[in-house]
Amino acid sequence: MAGKFGTSNVEIQKNVSLASFNTLRLTVQAERFAVAKSLADVAQAAGMVAREGIALQVLGAGSNVVLRNDLPGLTLRMSIHGRSCINGLLTASAGEYWDPLVDYAIDQGGFGLENLSMIPGTVGAAPVQNIGAYGTQLSDRFAHLTAFDRRTDQFVELNRAACGFGYRDSIFKSSARGRYIICEVSLFVDAKFLPNLAYPGVAAWAGAHPDARAVRAAVMALRSARLPDLGLTPNVGSFFKNPIIGKQSTQALLAANPDLVSWEAEGGYKVSAGWLIERAGCKGMAVGGAMVSEQHALVLVNRGNARPADIEALSQQVQRRVQDAFGLTLEIEPDCFPES
Ligand SMILES: Cc1cc2nc3c(=O)[nH]c(=O)nc-3n(C[C@H](O)[C@H](O)[C@H](O)COP(=O)(O)OP(=O)(O)OC[C@H]3O[C@@H](n4cnc5c(N)ncnc54)[C@H](O)[C@@H]3O)c2cc1C
C-alpha cells in the first residue's frame, strides 16, 4: 500500500506464537504480528494502530522483555537493515544485531564500542535502556537517532540530550514510553583506538596495551564465563537493576555486611543486586520451570517449560527475600508486556 512515507507491503498475521521471538522462550501469543522491513512499513503499521485504537508492542530480538501474557493489539518486530561507517559516524538500522555491529565497526577502523561486545539484541533497542557493560554505555558514543513519532505521525531526529539517558534508562522507558519507534541509530566512533580498561577484569585479560580485537576478546571471554549460555538456557540477562542508595544507607549496610559489593555511581552508591540475591539465599531457588541461575544470581532462567506466571512468582519471591534481608527494593530491569 502506498502512503506518504512510501510503499509498504507489511503483512499482518493473526495469533502468532512469540516463543521464538523472546530469549526467555515464554510461550505467549500476539493477537496480531507484523515484521517491519522499511520505514514505510513502520509508518503503515503505526497508522493502522492509531486508526483502530489498539495496543502496540515494538519488539527487537526480545532479549530484554518479559512476556507476562498474550499480547493484545499489534506486536511489531523491527527488521530494517543497513549500516555504514563514514568519517567517524557509525550508522545502523534498527533491525541490525548489536554485536555484529561492534565487530563491523572495528573492521572499519571505528573504535570505542569494544566493551559493549556480545550484548544480545538489536540496534533499535540499544538506546531504550542505554545498554552498558564493562565501563562503557551507549550514551558515551551516542550521536542521534531517527524514530517514528506516533504523536505527530512524522519521522523525527533526536539528539543525545533529547533522549534523556541514565543508568539503563532513557525517555523511551519513562516520559516518552511507547511514543517513538526507533528506526536508525548513529554513534560516534574514534579513528584512534584508546582502550577502556577501567573494569579491572578487562585489563587482566587483555593485557596492558591491547588492541581493539584483544579488548573485544577479553570482554567476550569474561561474559562467557559469567553468564549462562543463551543458546542453552533461555534468559534475559540481568533481571534486576542494581539499587542506588545514599552514603549513610551504604555505610550501615557495610557495617553489617563487610563484604557487601557496592561502588560510587550516579550520584549515590550502587549495590550489587547479584550479591544481595545470593546473600538472601535465592541462588538456585525455583518456581515451576523458572529458576534463579546457579551461575549468576542476577539471572532468572527458563529451565524448560517455564510459564509467565512462574517467572512472575519467582521474581516476587526474590524481591521479598531481599527486602526482608536488607530493606532494599529490587527493580525489574527488562520491560514487561503487556503493560498492567
Ligand atoms: C544474556 C544477556 C545478557 C545481556 N547483557 C546486557 C548487558 O551487559 N548490558 C545491557 O545493557 N543489557 C544487557 N542485556 C539486555 C539486552 O540485551 C539489551 O537490553 C538489548 O538492547 C535488548 O535488545 P532487543 O532487541 O532484544 O530488545 P527487546 O527485548 O526486543 O526490547 C526491549 C525494549 O526495547 C523496546 N524496543 C525494541 N526495539 C525498539 C525500537 N526499534 N524502537 C522502540 N522501542 C524498541 C521494546 O519495546 C522493549 O521495551 C542482556 C540480555 C541477555 C539475554
Side-chain angles (χ1 to χ4, degrees):
M1 186 186 289
K4 66 177 172 174
F5 300 109
T7 302
S8 163
N9 296 314
V10 72
E11 184 196 341
I12 312 286
Q13 301 169 57
K14 291 205 170 145
N15 301 323
V16 172
S17 167
L18 296 178
S20 57
F21 296 118
N22 73 101
T23 61
L24 253 177
R25 299 278 177 260
L26 294 174
T27 306
V28 305
Q29 286 212 330
E31 188 183 7
R32 298 188 220 180
F33 180 81
V35 178
K37 295 182 182 156
S38 67
L39 298 184
D41 287 353
V42 170
Q44 175 75 18
M48 185 200 83
V49 165
R51 272 193 312 279
E52 299 194 19
I54 57 175
L56 173 69
Q57 289 84 212
V58 179
L59 212 53
S63 69
N64 209 32
V65 289
V66 179
L67 305 181
R68 295 192 286 204
N69 222 323
D70 288 346
L71 301 188
L74 178 70
T75 299
L76 184 66
R77 185 159 203 255
M78 297 300 287
S79 191
I80 309 176
H81 291 280
R83 61 191 185 183
S84 66
C85 188
I86 301 165
N87 294 336
L89 197 65
L90 176 70
T91 298
S93 298
E96 290 290 329
Y97 281 89
W98 174 260
D99 184 61
L101 184 70
V102 175
D103 196 51
Y104 167 78
I106 297 173
D107 270 352
Q108 300 295 309
F111 305 117
L113 301 176
E114 304 73 30
N115 294 42
L116 301 178
S117 290
M118 220 173 144
I119 297 181
T122 56
V123 166
V128 174
Q129 81 148 1
N130 186 20
I131 56 168
Y134 299 99
T136 300
Q137 49 187 356
L138 186 89
S139 53
D140 300 336
R141 292 278 153 191
F142 187 82
H144 53 84
L145 61 76
T146 303
F148 185 79
D149 182 352
R150 296 174 62 203
R151 190 178 290 175
T152 61
D153 206 20
Q154 293 292 336
F155 286 96
V156 293
E157 190 173 293
L158 301 181
N159 64 18
R160 190 171 182 273
C163 293
F165 291 121
Y167 164 58
R168 300 291 186 275
D169 206 10
S170 70
I171 58 158
F172 310 109
K173 278 186 130 179
S174 51
S175 58
R177 188 179 161 81
R179 175 170 172 182
Y180 297 104
I181 303 173
I182 299 167
C183 296
E184 189 180 86
V185 177
S186 291
L187 305 168
F188 294 118
V189 286
D190 298 331
K192 186 172 183 304
F193 175 65
L194 275 178
N196 175 355
L197 302 176
Y199 189 91
V202 177
W205 197 285
H209 305 289
D211 63 11
R213 287 269 164 222
V215 171
R216 176 165 160 79
V219 168
M220 292 172 90
L222 286 165
R223 292 183 69 96
S224 301
R226 277 183 72 230
L227 293 168
D229 183 341
L230 198 51
L232 300 174
T233 320
N235 70 84
V236 280
S238 304
F239 200 90
F240 300 100
K241 290 184 178 183
N242 295 315
I244 301 175
I245 59 176
K247 191 172 183 177
Q248 279 189 344
S249 310
T250 312
Q251 281 170 344
L253 269 177
L254 268 170
N257 308 277
D259 61 338
L260 176 82
V261 179
S262 69
W263 60 98
E264 220 174 326
E266 316 278 330
Y269 287 79
K270 264 190 206 169
V271 180
S272 161
W275 186 93
L276 294 168
I277 295 166
E278 194 165 345
R279 285 313 167 92
C282 301
K283 223 175 184 181
M285 210 162 85
V287 175
M291 189 175 88
V292 179
S293 168
E294 297 274 14
Q295 198 177 340
H296 195 316
L298 196 49
V299 180
L300 303 195
V301 300
N302 177 356
R303 58 180 179 170
N305 299 323
R307 297 166 308 142
D310 298 339
I311 296 284
E312 189 163 358
L314 181 61
S315 67
Q316 285 170 357
Q317 282 187 21
V318 170
Q319 284 171 315
R320 216 166 20 245
R321 281 219 195 178
V322 167
Q323 182 76 48
D324 290 349
F326 303 104
L328 293 179
T329 305
L330 288 182
E331 202 183 314
I332 293 178
E333 184 180 294
D335 208 354
C336 297
F337 288 152
E339 286 185 49
S340 48

